[in-house]
Amino acid sequence: MEGDVLVIGGGAAGMETASRISDFNRNVILIEKEQELGGHILKWDRLFPDGIPASDVTKNLKESLGSTKVLLGCYITSIEKREDSNFFAQLNSGETIKCSSVIFATGFKLFPAQKKQEYGYGLYERVITNADLETRFKKGEGLGKDAPKRIGFVHCVGSRDEKICNNQCSKLCCITAVKQAIELKQLYPFAEIFCFYMDLRMYGRGYEDLYLEAQSKYEIRFIRGRVSEISQEQSGLVIVKAEDTLASRPLKITLDWVVLMAGIISERENDYLSQQLSLQLGEDGFIDSVDPIQKTNQTNIAGVFVTGSASGPKTLPEVINEARSTALSVNEYLNKIKNG
Amino acid sequence: MVDFGFELSSSKRIDLDSFDSDLFLKLKAESGKITECIACGSCTSSCSAGIFTLVNFRKTILLIERGKNEEAIELIKGCMLCGKCTLVCPRGINTREIILSINQYYKKERF
Ligand code: SF4
Ligand code: SF4
Ligand code: SF4
């Protein structure tokens, strides 16, 4: 199969980039390893800060794909750039794709919370992750029919933590915690909800307002301190220990449920592709841009582009805007190689 | 009793499973804004009394929220009710009014 552009990854970044490049009358091939397009947002119920249904976004993205050729259940087994600047990618299906440029829209991985053993994810039934909670929201289950009395959110799980080799802030989890806490309070108006945070990073428009609403309207309580351990009582309830750093005291609380805000880490599954192309990765495993200010979507290899969370944690609107700018850069590149 | 030369000290831990929330709930009912504090410390840093005494409004409402009322009251004893803290609070909390209410609670003048 031949095309101008090969987009790897059918999440929001890949879909938007593919549809915008097709708008320039280019032949675009989009490959996705799963059997369905959408990526992470497929598992999400509603999106911060306004609560827009994630399925609406996926639907719009799918509808605008235009003439893009979509290959589902496909991944690349090997890739090379030849002398003539063309790329040859071998797929698991046996097919070979020849194209002039390649876009990594390979996204991120959610931190596997069981790696943070002291929090007991996978051991204690009432310790779940942000993604688990979204799935429950999506299924309309919430936290079950028996209204929980007390729920805790643990921020920065798998982020800002040298012990698990991830120093960076995942950027999205503070606002996600506040969004999910409000949603739980709407479901269970009598529940007491606590967020354990180190810093609250409410940087986006509308985020601080949501935080204020969480405090005033929903009476969600914020305790500054990183949770050090979680244990389980015989009854199945969970005990959380942290320092209340604003009071300089150790603190203990028994909760019905704990939600761990698993962070964003790099998707290391594609490292063999970056190696084959000699792409430069950062220490954190995300793909490096050739210039982090003006050429965020270009990599060290001409013709290879990166878009979305493959180059670091991003919000959905950021991903979509970046995808559009990537489409422009790719189109410029294709014009340049065609005209010599 | 035999004097062993040491005594048991009481727990300093904040135990949110069993604590006295009476004052906090009353203050909240009176001024819902108390839950909006972001612990920025502007109130404490603007306070003239705080330079010479233990006055610390940020910690006062935090400790009341955690049920440590006796300790909290120690932190407003030197307050002169000048109201500077109210002027600077970025969340618009009427801090001076809350201090007055806490006083009235302890003097049993109100609530
Ligand atoms: S966004 Fe918030 S919860 Fe997530 S890593 Fe950053 S500080 Fe921690
Ligand atoms: S009202 Fe009291 S706490 Fe506030 S600034 Fe004046 S002296 Fe300090
Ligand atoms: S100035 Fe206002 S928001 Fe800041 S710590 Fe004091 S009461 Fe809280």
Side-chain angles (χ1 to χ4, degrees):
Chain A
M1 196 183 280
E2 226 181 294
D4 296 313
V5 184
L6 171 62
V7 180
I8 314 170
M15 282 196 276
E16 183 68 15
T17 314
S19 63
R20 296 295 157 168
I21 301 176
S22 322
D23 289 346
F24 292 117
N25 291 323
R26 304 282 183 189
N27 289 322
V28 184
I29 302 164
L30 171 65
I31 62 166
E32 164 57 45
K33 64 178 188 301
E34 303 296 336
Q35 292 299 337
E36 193 181 350
L37 289 175
H40 288 275
I41 49 170
L42 280 180
K43 296 193 207 105
W44 240 244
D45 184 38
R46 287 190 281 163
L47 304 170
F48 64 76
D50 304 318
I52 292 172
S55 52
D56 287 4
V57 176
T58 322
K59 189 170 156 271
N60 292 342
L61 287 169
K62 276 186 195 164
E63 279 172 5
S64 53
L65 278 171
S67 59
T68 305
K69 278 191 215 78
V70 179
L71 304 178
L72 294 174
C74 280
Y75 58 89
I76 299 174
T77 53
S78 68
I79 188 164
E80 65 170 320
K81 185 179 178 181
R82 302 234 172 114
E83 298 277 296
D84 59 0
S85 288
N86 280 321
F87 294 87
F88 285 82
Q90 187 71 44
L91 300 189
N92 57 325
S93 56
E95 186 142 21
T96 307
I97 293 178
K98 180 184 173 208
C99 56
S100 315
S101 100
V102 177
I103 303 171
F104 278 74
T106 43
F108 64 90
K109 197 158 79 189
L110 218 51
F111 173 71
Q114 59 275 13
K115 278 198 182 171
K116 202 82 195 138
Q117 284 175 347
E118 57 270 45
Y119 292 164
Y121 179 69
L123 294 173
Y124 310 145
E125 218 172 286
R126 282 158 175 268
V127 176
I128 60 173
T129 63
N130 40 3
D132 298 336
L133 184 60
E134 278 302 323
T135 310
R136 284 163 173 268
F137 283 147
K138 216 175 158 159
K139 289 189 190 156
E141 288 173 1
L143 292 175
K145 282 203 195 73
D146 297 334
K149 287 192 197 73
R150 292 180 140 194
I151 307 157
F153 282 83
V154 180
H155 290 225
C156 303
V157 177
S159 309
R160 308 174 70 194
D161 186 350
E162 270 195 27
K163 287 275 156 60
I164 52 99
C165 304
N166 189 25
N167 290 346
Q168 46 128 20
C169 163
S170 296
K171 203 168 138 176
L172 315 184
C173 10
C174 273
I175 178 69
T176 301
V178 169
K179 181 208 78 138
Q180 293 186 332
I182 290 178
E183 288 175 301
L184 282 178
K185 190 76 182 183
Q186 288 167 341
L187 276 179
Y188 308 108
F190 298 107
E192 280 184 281
I193 303 186
F194 301 84
C195 286
F196 291 88
Y197 70 97
M198 295 200 285
D199 302 282
L200 278 176
R201 301 195 160 165
M202 296 291 161
Y203 60 93
R205 185 171 180 208
Y207 296 7
E208 188 71 21
D209 302 289
L210 206 65
Y211 167 39
L212 180 58
E213 202 174 298
Q215 287 180 306
S216 55
K217 186 167 165 200
Y218 296 101
E219 293 178 6
I220 290 154
R221 289 164 64 178
F222 293 85
I223 297 174
R224 181 166 164 267
R226 188 176 182 106
V227 170
S228 64
E229 65 181 288
I230 299 176
S231 53
Q232 193 182 34
E233 260 189 5
Q234 267 180 342
S235 64
L237 298 183
V238 273
I239 303 166
V240 165
K241 283 186 192 166
E243 187 197 339
D244 184 341
T245 58
L246 294 170
S248 312
R249 294 279 177 78
L251 174 147
K252 173 209 127 191
I253 183 168
T254 310
L255 299 164
D256 298 280
W257 290 90
V258 171
V259 185
L260 304 178
M261 302 314 292
I264 287 176
I265 57 172
S266 51
E267 174 67 275
R268 308 236 54 151
E269 269 173 39
N270 302 304
D271 282 7
Y272 67 101
L273 295 181
S274 24
Q275 263 163 26
Q276 288 171 11
L277 289 169
S278 311
L279 274 194
Q280 196 178 311
L281 303 185
E283 257 178 51
D284 54 11
F286 288 104
I287 299 173
D288 274 342
S289 304
V290 68
D291 168 348
I293 292 176
Q294 290 188 301
K295 294 174 184 164
T296 53
N297 39 40
Q298 297 180 33
T299 69
N300 59 316
I301 306 296
V304 180
F305 295 80
V306 58
T307 195
S309 306
S311 59
K314 283 184 193 102
T315 63
L316 208 41
E318 284 168 346
V319 164
I320 301 217
N321 286 332
E322 196 189 38
R324 293 172 185 172
S325 90
T326 307
L328 282 180
S329 310
V330 173
N331 192 50
E332 259 169 41
Y333 172 80
L334 294 173
N335 282 338
K336 206 174 80 190
I337 53 170
K338 200 176 127 207
N339 304 332
Chain B
M1 207 168 89
V2 188
D3 180 4
F4 288 108
F6 62 86
E7 55 184 344
L8 290 175
S9 46
S10 62
S11 171
K12 290 273 179 254
R13 180 158 82 177
I14 294 171
D15 185 349
L16 289 183
D17 295 336
S18 55
F19 71 110
D20 173 11
S21 56
D22 185 58
L23 175 56
F24 181 70
L25 292 177
K26 281 181 173 149
L27 292 173
K28 194 171 83 178
E30 191 155 81
S31 159
K33 284 224 154 234
I34 192 167
T35 60
E36 292 174 19
C37 174
I38 47 172
C40 70
S42 297
C43 46
T44 306
S45 72
S46 67
C47 173
S48 324
I51 302 169
F52 304 103
T53 67
L54 291 176
V55 176
N56 184 326
F57 184 75
R58 172 192 68 77
K59 214 163 172 184
T60 302
I61 50 172
L62 183 86
L63 289 173
I64 292 173
E65 199 184 336
R66 307 285 191 260
K68 301 276 182 194
N69 299 348
E70 300 302 325
E71 289 172 49
I73 192 87
E74 291 301 315
L75 301 182
I76 45 166
K77 274 192 175 158
C79 167
M80 311 171 290
L81 294 175
C82 70
K84 267 170 85 181
C85 48
T86 307
L87 290 178
V88 295
C89 175
R91 284 291 214 213
I93 299 171
N94 197 336
T95 54
R96 185 177 174 277
E97 200 117 294
I98 291 172
I99 295 171
L100 269 171
S101 299
I102 299 170
N103 263 316
Q104 288 166 338
Y105 178 86
Y106 276 94
K107 289 187 183 150
K108 304 217 171 5
E109 287 173 7
R110 219 151 49 88
F111 299 114

